[in-house]
Amino acid sequence: MIHVLATITAKPGKRAELLDAFRAVLPQVHAEEGCLQYLPAIDTDHPISNASIGPDSYVVIETWTTREALAAHAATPHMAAFAARSKDLIANRVLHVLESA
């Protein structure tokens, strides 16, 4: 399995708008072959937490069956549309692509 942890930082004050755009493509991504998990997550207050991603960021937690499924996902028309819609909202993106250990 392939796992992706993507930390997306919106331009100041734009996280809600960016998350709206992200949520709009969720049904299409969830329908993709090989998608096991694809969801956004934001900070929560919990006593075991020792770090914060901040008020302008969110993390996308993804699980894909294969590298090929992830590659196909990146090439879909709905992800190209999301990239175009969100390009002026994103300040930074950090992608960690991992495999099960």
Side-chain angles (χ1 to χ4, degrees):
M1 275 194 269
I2 300 298
H3 309 279
V4 179
L5 297 176
T7 302
I8 312 299
T9 302
K11 291 182 178 175
K14 296 293 185 178
R15 183 174 78 176
E17 186 177 350
L18 185 55
L19 278 169
D20 286 345
F22 178 85
R23 288 183 188 111
V25 299
L26 281 177
Q28 293 160 298
V29 174
H30 289 156
E32 290 177 41
E33 185 173 335
C35 178
L36 301 175
Q37 180 176 353
Y38 191 83
L39 59 93
I42 58 173
D43 282 324
T44 188
D45 184 28
H46 194 281
I48 70 166
S49 181
N50 66 1
S52 171
I53 60 169
D56 292 317
S57 297
Y58 66 97
V59 174
V60 181
I61 303 165
E62 306 177 35
T63 304
W64 297 89
T65 54
T66 64
R67 292 172 179 263
E68 294 78 17
L70 175 58
H73 160 70
T76 60
H78 53 269
M79 290 311 294
F82 171 74
R85 181 176 175 190
S86 64
K87 69 178 181 168
D88 294 330
L89 303 173
I90 295 176
N92 192 38
R93 237 177 22 144
V94 176
L95 303 174
H96 298 276
V97 179
L98 313 163
E99 61 186 358
S100 297

